Amino acid sequence: MEWVVRERPYKLSELDYSYLLEFTAKIHGISQAESLFLRIPHNFQNVLLYNNLIMTCLDKGLIRLSLAYMRKMRELDFSISPYVYNRLILLHSSSGRKKTIPKILIQMKADGVSTHVSTYNILLKIEADEHNVEGLSKVFNDMKRAKVEPNEITYGILAIAHAVARLYTISETYVEAIERSRTVNNWSTLDVLLILYGYLGKEEELQRTWKCVKELPHVRTKSYILAIEAFGRASSVDMAEEIFAEMKSVKQLKTTKQFNPIISVYCRNGLVDKASEVFKEMEANGCRPNAITYRHLALGCLKAGLLDEALKTMNLGKNEDLSFRVRRSTPWLETTYMLLEVFADMGEIEKAKSLFKEFKETKYCRYTFVHNTLLRAYVKARVYDSEILRKMILAGASPDAETYSLVRFIEQFKS
């Protein structure tokens, strides 16, 4: 791009300067990009270039500098791109900064920028990641009121969020909407359908979707991983094994992420011996087990009745790096919940409570079924807790008929 600007082999356009600005920021930093911006001919310092400069600032997390350039754009009466606001919303999506998002949306409206479908998709994803089904419904209703047409991504976020919340009937409605709205086979939509048909336990639809994936010019490693997990959720161990074997034959197994899904499939189905074999193969390939690996294996041991081995394996996992991203990931949350279920059925109340605490930070405890599982531990252990219903409501979960039935059981254990 520097050569093009210097030698001018053709008449330069705003797009050429825009590319040069973007690449300069990425390679040399924002200071050099700002310096370049000032040297660009004035007639090219237009809407596209300003929006691109702001986006590069936001990519570097420089919010104040971005806001300063946005003020300059207003002074020049330039329209700000909705994608600038999207990036601002994403930078404020963490729990500590989330309160700023309504102000960003108000400013967006004041600037006369129409809320794009991608903006609503980001807002939906934020609520889904916090396991807030009510918040999700509110955003979707706002989207409908604004007459913004949902797309495949919108329906995918809604479908997965409701499947994770175990609201399968609602999820299925959105799956049907995805199938209606998709026009061609693309890997992103097919990956989402693999996840969803796995949750819904629809093996026939899973087979059909996986066949579509295999017809693509290139099958990504991620698609293999999602397919193994999906068939595992649908209790189709044979098919998960077949896909793992296929992945081994066409891809080089170099990462722990490639082995964890089949270990998970074996462990959730109580096949701990098979999981152990894959674990050995993983180590032989030079892949180091991580916290998720150990959590899967702990579940396998527990389902096989090996309590001491399960506890030892859980302790091994505690020594591994455990970032917030890992703790909020689906494999971690699902396996932890299945461990909670087993401990609850055993009446191991302290171990169940310890696992339940992990859900507080990730907001997974907003789901009623998670609280009901903990209540089952109290029933099995014959332990009374007068505050348990209040704690549940404060956590954002809504008691249902099963909750009240379990609470009545627990009340029998008042001393």
Side-chain angles (χ1 to χ4, degrees):
M1 287 313 303
E2 287 170 348
W3 179 85
V4 166
V5 171
R6 187 174 62 248
E7 301 295 332
R8 298 176 183 269
Y10 53 82
K11 188 178 178 181
L12 298 182
S13 70
E14 60 181 9
L15 207 57
D16 294 303
Y17 285 109
S18 182
Y19 285 143
L20 181 59
L21 184 70
E22 183 183 342
F23 300 149
T24 302
K26 284 181 177 176
I27 296 164
H28 300 296
I30 209 71
S31 297
Q32 286 203 38
E34 285 184 292
S35 176
L36 169 67
F37 183 81
L38 295 172
R39 297 197 308 274
I40 291 170
H42 191 72
N43 58 312
F44 288 114
Q45 291 182 14
N46 56 14
V47 173
L48 177 66
L49 230 66
Y50 265 100
N51 275 311
N52 212 355
L53 181 60
I54 293 168
M55 289 294 276
T56 57
C57 291
L58 290 171
D59 281 342
K60 302 282 184 184
L62 302 169
I63 295 173
R64 285 186 183 179
L65 186 59
S66 304
L67 295 174
Y69 279 118
M70 287 170 77
R71 282 194 293 272
K72 181 69 176 172
M73 284 188 77
R74 291 184 195 107
E75 288 169 17
L76 295 167
D77 204 25
F78 286 167
S79 58
I80 300 167
S81 166
Y83 298 111
V84 165
Y85 284 99
N86 285 359
R87 194 63 58 89
L88 267 174
I89 291 167
L90 282 168
L91 287 171
H92 289 85
S93 60
S94 63
S95 296
R97 287 179 156 188
K98 199 181 164 191
K99 288 179 183 177
T100 311
I101 292 176
K103 293 177 185 176
I104 296 169
L105 293 170
I106 289 166
Q107 185 60 60
M108 190 177 184
K109 190 175 181 181
D111 287 334
V113 181
S114 299
T115 313
H116 194 262
V117 62
S118 59
T119 311
Y120 280 110
N121 287 344
I122 289 165
L123 295 171
L124 287 167
K125 190 71 171 70
I126 290 167
E127 298 301 336
D129 286 345
E130 294 210 336
H131 306 286
N132 188 355
V133 176
E134 283 183 19
L136 194 78
S137 299
K138 183 183 179 300
V139 172
F140 190 50
N141 286 333
D142 290 345
M143 186 179 184
K144 286 192 280 191
R145 273 196 296 272
K147 295 182 179 173
V148 175
E149 195 66 31
N151 59 16
E152 289 174 29
I153 297 168
T154 314
Y155 292 128
I157 294 165
L158 289 163
I160 290 173
H162 284 90
V164 170
R166 301 195 172 192
L167 301 168
Y168 298 123
T169 306
I170 300 171
S171 178
E172 208 163 335
T173 305
Y174 292 125
V175 172
E176 288 166 8
I178 296 170
E179 292 282 20
R180 281 196 306 272
S181 63
R182 76 186 183 102
T183 50
V184 292
N185 283 340
N186 64 76
W187 59 261
S188 56
T189 304
L190 291 171
D191 280 357
V192 167
L193 288 171
L194 284 175
I195 294 167
L196 287 164
Y197 287 133
Y199 273 118
L200 298 172
K202 296 199 165 190
E203 196 175 340
E204 194 176 311
E205 284 81 354
L206 253 180
Q207 294 274 10
R208 173 175 55 80
T209 307
W210 178 239
K211 188 183 174 187
C212 291
V213 172
K214 289 176 75 175
E215 287 169 0
L216 295 172
H218 171 71
V219 181
R220 302 174 318 133
T221 299
K222 178 74 173 172
S223 296
Y224 279 108
I225 288 169
L226 291 173
I228 293 164
E229 289 174 342
F231 279 103
R233 282 194 194 100
S235 300
S236 181
V237 178
D238 291 348
M239 194 63 199
E241 285 178 321
E242 191 179 307
I243 296 168
F244 180 68
E246 189 181 321
M247 181 171 69
K248 275 204 292 186
S249 68
V250 297
K251 307 276 182 185
Q252 283 189 310
L253 301 188
K254 293 179 179 178
T255 67
T256 305
K257 280 184 180 179
Q258 290 170 300
F259 287 96
N260 276 346
I262 193 68
I263 290 174
S264 169
V265 171
Y266 287 141
C267 290
R268 68 164 60 210
N269 287 283
L271 303 168
V272 72
D273 290 339
K274 284 193 171 188
S276 298
E277 287 302 313
V278 176
F279 181 79
K280 288 171 190 172
E281 183 185 345
M282 183 178 84
E283 289 194 309
N285 275 37
C287 300
R288 191 171 175 271
N290 58 23
I292 292 176
T293 316
Y294 286 120
R295 188 134 290 199
H296 289 329
L297 289 168
L299 175 66
C301 291
L302 208 54
K303 288 214 166 193
L306 306 168
L307 179 59
D308 290 340
E309 283 298 313
L311 296 174
K312 283 177 193 173
T313 309
M314 283 178 75
N315 285 330
L316 283 171
K318 287 176 184 176
N319 299 326
E320 297 299 315
D321 178 46
L322 191 56
S323 65
F324 180 66
R325 188 180 171 193
V326 170
R327 289 197 303 277
R328 76 187 295 184
S329 69
T330 302
W332 180 266
L333 291 171
E334 285 190 355
T335 305
T336 303
Y337 174 71
M338 285 187 278
L339 283 166
L340 173 65
E341 279 188 306
V342 180
F343 281 128
D345 291 339
M346 291 167 67
E348 291 279 358
I349 193 162
E350 292 307 317
K351 292 180 179 68
K353 281 162 74 176
S354 175
L355 287 168
F356 185 82
K357 275 182 190 174
E358 293 184 17
F359 294 140
K360 289 184 178 177
E361 189 184 6
T362 56
K363 310 286 178 68
Y364 196 69
C365 59
R366 277 181 162 156
Y367 298 133
T368 303
F369 69 85
V370 176
H371 283 271
N372 287 349
T373 302
L374 181 64
L375 288 171
R376 291 211 313 267
Y378 278 87
V379 170
K380 189 74 176 178
R382 304 177 70 81
V383 172
Y384 174 70
D385 182 351
S386 60
E387 293 288 294
I388 201 157
L389 200 58
R390 190 178 74 87
K391 288 175 192 171
M392 179 178 179
I393 294 164
L394 288 173
S398 302
D400 60 9
E402 185 188 357
T403 310
Y404 289 114
S405 174
L406 289 164
V407 167
R408 282 195 291 273
F409 265 108
I410 292 165
E411 283 174 349
Q412 297 174 28
F413 310 131
K414 279 184 188 177
S415 54

